[in-house]
Structure formats: structure tokens, C-alpha cells
């Protein structure tokens, strides 16, 4: 341990108000070991498991734990002191706590020398024989159209393991875009670089069941790494410290699939330079890029060429070549979304004698399109289901804006058009930002937003299902009236012309108009006015 490391330990101990004896009792280390840590210069290098126990007792965050590990590695000595609980109870006068913590006093097992055995000691070390987990699930045989994304991941990996920091990769994108497929394909082809194995977990961030807790994921990882299940501590931060200690001298690939948020992921991130972690999520995981330097790949839908290639792979090149225009129309109606293309291709493959153009006709009718792209009994491959998991995770006000935007005939619109109706500008921008972060809206340029065509259909469905019918009827009447009355709210009219017609408005006053004002102007139900006005202002200006 370096002298700087000793100063760090003393400072952290002082910040939590513990004496050396109290820290020894809390960590399960001996008072002598605590003094070794704090002495710094001249002290022997501590065992990595002792570092983990100390970090857990001091409740260090990820950055502080990394500092402690770095300081521990800077020692020139090669003979570490025993960091077991030998003498700890005698020095502090403590007795074992009945709670299972990341300390040796909570276990009753002993080593062959008679010393108490710590939970970390119940995990195979780097120098002993251990199981090598290979948990990557089945990956598709061939991935199309992701060459650029692969190159980004490869460039980030090129600095490993020469860099002195773990590698963190984040793959984000809308539902059904192929995040997991890319992660598995890339990981499968790089697995040989990780001799200590691969870990995988589905965090269930967006699913019809509750998200997995970090503690549950950590327990699964630790048992896969050979740790005795009955030695695992209860608290999540203790599990996390133990996990990082076990991984400290291993070269592993960790795939955290379907994450809900950066907060769910953080306890699962190793801090040793021998590890590479891949996270997939519908969330943009901005917290991981800001705080942890994650390299993010934001997946978009496939190109038309890649989409047609994928369709040909599923139904056969001959069928695609026989109806090239119909094939192009089909992939367009699927929005070049990989999941939709796989579903449509599977349906076509089951009916080899049915022309592609017949399926194009089915998909062209918008109300029927999501039905055609549904697979009953398998929510994971049903478009409605995978869209719903993102939709149901939204706050109530954000999900309502999502529904109302779906009623527009336009798939792309500017924020200024919405601001003409909603006076709470900051609130609308917040909701739009949440929709973009969850990949239910795209933002091709600042202040401009775009629906994917299938998500647009889903948003309209939710509006028709959840908004009261009288509101939708009022909106329809208002839109019909707007076509007849070109002077005030005509189809070619601009929001300014509509606002200028509000009673009590002065000439040239084109500021944001409230719902009450529009209700006075047009004698319509206030809620219907809100919905109808939103549609009117989002509709394409001609």
C-alpha cells in the first residue's frame, strides 16, 4: 500500500467517524491489518479480498474503490499479511453478528489451518482451479447491416487490455431494433479473448415482469464464479464489493442485457482492467456515458438494402428476385425494423406459394398492420407487447402526450408547433426528452421529432383505446369544421391565424394560447380542444 493510499484510508475512516478498532470490527479484519492499510509506506501489499472487505466497511463508491485498489497494487512487497479475522474478535472484544455480512465473523467454516474463512475465500482465487462460466445464450447465425456498429465496438476494444481501466460498452435503441442480437453476435465472436469466461443476465428492465434487482443478479454471478451460496452477504453493496474482488484478477466478458436504467447497472460494473462489460437497453443510459465513460452505440433501423437482404435470407432469394418491388414495399411497411421483418418473413415462409404482394396488401391497411405483425402466445416477439413495455414505463403525463401525438397524420413535427398549444414549455420539452430517451420518438434535429411508423400506429391505438370516445368524436368534428372554415382554422391556416381569432387577443399577439382561451373561441369541450389543437398544429403545414 502506498503512502497516498494510507492517507486515503485514514481520511475515509475519519469521514465515517470510526476508530481503528471499530473499523476492524465492522470489516472483519484485524486491527493490525487496519494499521497496515493506514501506515502506507513500508506496509506489505494487502490481499485483494481484504481490500474488498475494507471498501465494503467504509461504504466506498466505485471511484473510491478503484482508488483503493490502485493504491494497494502500488506496494513493492510481495508477502501480504493475513487478512482473515484471526485476532479480530480478540482485538476488538466483539462477537459474531447474526446477520450475514461481507465479513468472516458471520461464517462458521474454517480453512485447513483453522483460521475462519471469509465469503471471498469461499470463491476460487486466480491461482486455484475454478469453473469458467460460459453463459452467453443462443445468438442468431448471421447478422445483417450492422457493420458500422461492429466497427465502433471493435475500436473501443482495441485499447483493451493495454488501458488501465475496464471497458464499458452500451448498445441502445428502440424496441425490436436488434440490440441483444448485436451484443450476442459481437460477444460470441470475441469470446476467445476472455479466458476466464463470460457472464450474462437478462435484467428484465422492459418486460411484463418486475425488473431484476442488482442483488439478485450479483448472487447469480457470484455462484457462477464458484462462490458458495451460503457465504454470500445480504446487502447489495456488500455483494457488489465481493463481486468486484472476485473479478479483480480475471479477464471476463459481462453482458448485462435489457437494462432498465443506469442505476440498475452500476452495482454490476467491475472495476478491474481485465473486464469488458456490454449493456443493452431501450434507455439511452446517459448516466453511464457521463459518469463511467461508456462508449454508446445507438442502433437505428436497417437500411433498405440490408432489410431486403434479411428478407431474402428468411424467405429465399428467388422469391425476392421474382417480386423486387413488392419486397421493397414490404420492408418499407415494416419500417426496416428487424423484429417486424423477422415476423413478416416468418409468415411468408410458412406460405411459400403466397405472393409477396398479397402480404403487402394486408400490411398497407394501417388498422390491420400490427395484427399482421403479431405472434400470439409469444410476447417477446409481438410488436404490441414489446412496444407496450416501453409505453407502460412512462410517467402518466408523458404517456398521454405520446398518445395524443399518435393521433396526428404527420409522423414528423417541430416542437414549436406543440408549443403553440401548451403554455408549459418546460414541461412539454421534458416529456419529449423522456420519449426520446426511451426511443419512442426520434429526434433527427434539435427541436424536431419523428415517429417510427409502427410506433406511430401503436400510439394511435393507445389513444383510441384510452381516450374517452366523446373527446375523439369532438376532435373529429373540429377537424371537419376546420376543413370547411378556411378563414379561421383552414387546412392551409397557420397556428398564428388561429390564435389571432381568439376573442380578446390584440392584433399581432401570437403568444402561446391556453386551453381556456381556445374553448371560448370555438365553443368546444376544453379537453377536446387540447387534443384537437394539438393535432391541428402538428399536421403538415401546406
Amino acid at each position: 500500500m502506498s503512502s497516498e493510499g494510507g492517507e486515503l484510508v485514514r481520511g475515509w475512516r475519519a469521514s465515517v467517524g470510526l476508530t481503528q478498532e471499530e473499523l476492524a470490527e465492522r470489516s472483519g479484519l484485524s486491527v493490525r491489518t487496519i494499521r497496515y492499510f493506514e501506515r502506507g509506506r513500508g506496509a506489505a501489499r494487502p490481499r485483494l479480498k481484504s481490500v474488498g472487505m475494507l471498501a465494503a466497511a467504509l461504504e466506498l463508491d466505485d471511484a473510491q474503490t478503484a482508488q483503493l485498489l490502485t493504491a494497494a497494487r502500488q506496494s513493492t512487497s510481495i508477502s501480504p499479511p493475513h487478512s482473515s479475522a484471526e485476532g479480530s474478535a480478540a482485538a476488538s472484544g466483539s462477537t459474531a453478528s447474526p446477520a450475514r455480512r461481507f465479513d468472516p465473523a458471520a461464517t462458521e467454516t474454517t480453512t485447513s489451518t483453522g483460521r475462519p474463512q471469509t465469503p471471498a475465500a469461499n470463491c476460487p482465487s486466480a491461482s486455484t482451479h475454478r469453473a469458467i462460466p460460459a453463459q452467453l445464450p443462443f445468438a442468431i447465425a448471421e447478422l445483417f447491416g450492422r457493420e458500422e456498429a461492429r466497427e465502433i465496438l471493435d475500436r473501443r476494444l482495441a485499447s483493451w487490455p493495454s488501458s488501465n481501466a475496464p471497458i464499458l460498452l452500451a448498445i441502445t435503441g428502440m424496441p425490436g431494433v436488434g440490440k441483444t442480437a448485436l451484443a450476442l453476435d459481437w460477444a460470441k465472436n470475441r469470446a476467445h479473448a476472455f479466458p476466464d469466461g463470460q457472464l450474462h443476465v437478462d435484467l428484465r428492465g422492459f418486460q411484463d415482469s418486475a425488473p431484476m434487482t442488482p442483488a439478485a443478479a450479483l448472487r447469480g454471478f457470484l455462484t457462477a464464479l464458484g462462490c458458495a451460496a451460503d457465504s454470500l452477504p445480504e446487502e447489495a453493496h456488500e455483494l457488489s464489493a465481493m463481486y468486484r474482488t472476485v473479478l479483480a484478477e480475471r479477464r471476463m466478458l459481462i453482458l448485462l442485457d435489457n437494462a432498465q436504467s443506469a442505476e440498475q447497472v452500476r452495482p454490476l460494473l467491475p472495476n478491474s482492467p481485465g473486464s469488458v462489460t456490454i449493456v443493452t437497453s431501450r434507455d439511452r443510459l446517459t448516466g453511464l456515458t457521463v459518469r463511467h465513460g461508456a462508449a454508446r452505440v445507438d442502433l437505428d433501423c436497417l437500411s433498405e438494402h440490408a432489410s431486403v437482404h434479411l428478407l431474402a435470407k428468411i424467405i429465399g432469394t428467388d422469391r425476392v428476385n421474382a417480386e423486387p418491388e413488392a419486397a421493397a414495399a414490404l420492408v418499407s411497411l415494416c419500417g426496416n425494423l428487424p423484429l417486424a421483418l423477422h415476423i413478416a418473413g416468418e409468415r411468408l415462409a410458412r406460405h411459400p406459394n403466397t405472393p409477396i404482394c398479397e402480404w403487402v396488401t394486408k400490411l398497407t391497411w394501417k388498422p390491420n398492420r400490427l395484427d399482421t405483425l403479431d405472434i400470439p402466445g409469444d410476447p417477446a416477439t409481438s410488436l404490441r407487447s414489446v412496444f407496450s413495455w416501453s409505453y407502460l414505463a412512462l410517467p402518466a403525463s408523458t404517456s398521454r402526450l405520446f398518445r395524443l401525438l399518435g393521433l396526428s397524420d404527420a409522423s414528423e413535427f417541430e416542437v414549436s408547433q406543440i408549443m403553440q398549444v401548451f403554455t408549459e414549455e418546460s414541461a412539454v420539452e421534458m416529456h419529449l426528452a423522456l420519449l426520446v430517451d426511451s426511443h419512442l420518438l426520434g429526434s433527427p434535429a434539435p427541436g424536431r421529432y419523428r415517429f417510427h411508423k409502427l410506433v406511430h400506429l401503436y400510439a394511435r391505438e393507445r389513444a383510441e383505446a384510452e381516450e374517452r370516445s366523446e373527446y375523439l368524436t369532438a376532435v373529429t368534428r373540429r377537424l371537419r369544421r376546420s376543413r370547411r372554415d378556411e378563414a379561421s382554422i383552414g387546412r392551409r391556416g397557420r397556428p398564428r391565424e388561429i390564435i389571432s381569432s381568439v376573442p380578446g387577443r390584440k392584433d399581432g399577439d401570437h403568444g402561446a394560447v391556453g386551453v381556456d382561451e381556445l374553448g371560448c373561441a370555438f365553443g368546444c369541450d376544453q379537453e377536446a380542444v387540447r387534443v384537437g389543437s394539438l393535432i391541428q398544429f402538428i399536421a403538415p403545414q401546406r
Side-chain angles (χ1 to χ4, degrees), residues 163-495:
S163 65
N164 195 31
I167 299 295
L168 178 57
L169 308 169
I171 302 175
T172 62
M174 68 174 289
V177 80
K179 301 177 292 295
T180 299
L182 172 63
L184 288 175
D185 177 82
W186 187 83
K188 176 184 68 176
N189 289 293
R190 307 296 182 279
H192 63 275
F194 303 93
D196 293 313
Q198 314 96 42
L199 296 171
H200 169 270
V201 65
D202 179 359
L203 294 173
R204 302 196 305 261
F206 297 90
Q207 208 166 297
D208 54 1
S209 56
M212 180 177 288
T213 64
L218 287 166
R219 290 189 184 95
F221 281 171
L222 287 167
T223 54
L225 290 166
C227 300
D230 59 359
S231 74
L232 301 181
E234 296 289 347
E235 298 296 328
H237 72 276
E238 294 173 329
L239 287 164
S240 186
M242 185 176 180
Y243 167 70
R244 294 186 176 107
T245 301
V246 172
L247 289 187
E249 297 178 353
R250 305 194 191 204
R251 291 176 58 178
M252 299 202 68
L253 177 65
I254 300 109
L255 175 51
L256 308 176
D257 196 16
N258 193 15
Q260 182 185 44
S261 63
E263 183 180 3
Q264 184 189 29
V265 167
R266 283 194 181 99
L268 309 177
L269 299 179
N271 57 14
S272 58
S275 298
V276 172
T277 305
I278 312 172
V279 186
T280 72
S281 181
R282 302 180 186 189
D283 187 82
R284 287 182 59 82
L285 300 176
T286 304
L288 293 187
T289 60
V290 172
R291 285 190 55 187
H292 303 282
R296 183 172 61 208
V297 177
D298 202 18
L299 280 191
D300 202 351
C301 292
L302 297 174
S303 65
E304 181 181 351
H305 174 75
S307 297
V308 173
H309 192 182
L310 173 58
L311 182 64
K313 184 70 175 180
I314 299 171
I315 68 173
T317 303
D318 291 343
R319 290 181 74 180
V320 170
N321 290 341
E323 298 181 86
E325 293 182 357
L330 180 69
V331 300
S332 176
L333 289 168
C334 290
N336 299 314
L337 186 67
L339 178 58
L341 291 168
H342 275 284
I343 295 172
E346 191 276 335
R347 291 286 181 87
L348 279 165
R350 282 193 296 168
H351 301 85
N353 297 320
T354 302
I356 298 175
C357 61
E358 288 192 17
W359 285 93
V360 170
T361 302
K362 290 182 179 180
L363 289 172
T364 301
W365 189 46
K366 288 184 178 181
N368 189 50
R369 193 176 307 171
L370 291 181
D371 290 330
T372 306
L373 296 174
D374 189 30
I375 297 183
D378 189 0
T381 51
S382 167
L383 279 178
R384 277 197 184 92
S385 293
V386 298
F387 290 162
S388 71
W389 297 333
S390 290
Y391 171 70
L392 294 173
L394 297 172
S397 298
T398 308
S399 63
R400 189 149 199 273
L401 177 61
F402 173 76
R403 294 195 300 271
L404 300 186
L405 292 175
L407 290 170
S408 168
D409 288 333
S411 292
E412 189 166 331
F413 42 86
E414 294 182 1
V415 67
S416 59
Q417 294 170 309
I418 308 174
M419 295 309 178
Q420 297 287 349
V421 179
F422 290 92
T423 56
E424 293 293 332
E425 179 174 341
S426 60
V428 172
E429 289 183 335
M430 178 192 70
H431 296 315
L432 290 170
L434 285 173
L435 290 172
V436 171
D437 284 348
S438 61
H439 288 91
L440 289 173
L441 274 183
S443 183
R448 193 158 189 84
Y449 299 89
R450 178 191 297 154
F451 266 125
H452 183 277
K453 59 180 62 179
L454 296 178
V455 177
H456 191 179
L457 291 178
Y458 177 77
R460 184 187 294 269
E461 278 192 357
R462 296 322 312 154
E464 293 172 350
E466 298 183 41
E467 299 295 336
R468 289 191 290 174
S469 59
E470 57 266 32
Y471 292 162
L472 298 178
T473 302
V475 169
T476 303
R477 286 200 303 266
R478 184 175 184 276
L479 291 176
R480 289 174 179 170
R481 183 167 68 246
S482 73
R483 297 187 187 99
R484 294 194 301 267
D485 191 356
E486 296 282 358
S488 58
I489 12 177
R491 186 173 181 179
R492 296 181 179 85
R494 297 294 190 269

Side-chain angles (χ1 to χ4, degrees), residues 106-134:
T107 64
E108 298 178 354
T109 58
T110 58
T111 66
S112 59
T113 61
R115 297 190 182 100
Q117 189 175 31
T118 68
N122 288 338
C123 301
S125 67
S127 60
T128 61
H129 175 73
R130 59 181 182 237
I132 299 177

Side-chain angles (χ1 to χ4, degrees), residues 14-187:
S15 68
V16 294
L18 296 175
T19 65
Q20 289 183 340
E21 289 74 15
E22 290 169 338
L23 180 56
E25 180 180 0
R26 176 185 286 194
S27 65
L29 300 169
S30 67
V31 176
R32 181 186 178 196
T33 300
I34 298 297
R35 289 171 181 162
Y36 276 142
F37 273 107
E38 295 193 357
R39 184 184 305 164
R41 187 177 302 279
R45 180 185 299 164
R47 296 179 186 272
L48 287 173
K49 62 187 179 186
S50 300
V51 176
M53 296 164 71
L54 183 64
L58 292 170
E59 298 181 357
L60 303 184
D61 60 24
D62 294 349
Q64 292 169 329
T65 302
Q67 283 182 286
L68 183 59
L69 280 168
T70 300
R73 293 190 181 106
Q74 290 175 349
S75 171
T76 58
S77 301
I78 60 173
S79 177
H82 291 299
S83 57
S84 70
E86 181 185 27
S88 177
S92 62
S94 66
T95 57
S97 168
R100 194 160 66 239
R101 294 178 54 82
F102 189 25
D103 77 46
T107 64
E108 298 178 354
T109 58
T110 58
T111 66
S112 59
T113 61
R115 297 190 182 100
Q117 189 175 31
T118 68
N122 288 338
C123 301
S125 67
S127 60
T128 61
H129 175 73
R130 59 181 182 237
I132 299 177
Q135 296 187 339
L136 294 179
F138 176 79
I140 61 176
E142 189 174 1
L143 196 67
F144 296 104
R146 297 306 187 194
E147 292 76 17
E148 183 178 353
R150 285 195 189 100
E151 289 178 4
I152 295 173
L153 297 173
D154 285 342
R155 283 198 301 270
R156 188 68 180 91
L157 188 65
S159 63
W160 179 90
S162 59
S163 65
N164 195 31
I167 299 295
L168 178 57
L169 308 169
I171 302 175
T172 62
M174 68 174 289
V177 80
K179 301 177 292 295
T180 299
L182 172 63
L184 288 175
D185 177 82
W186 187 83

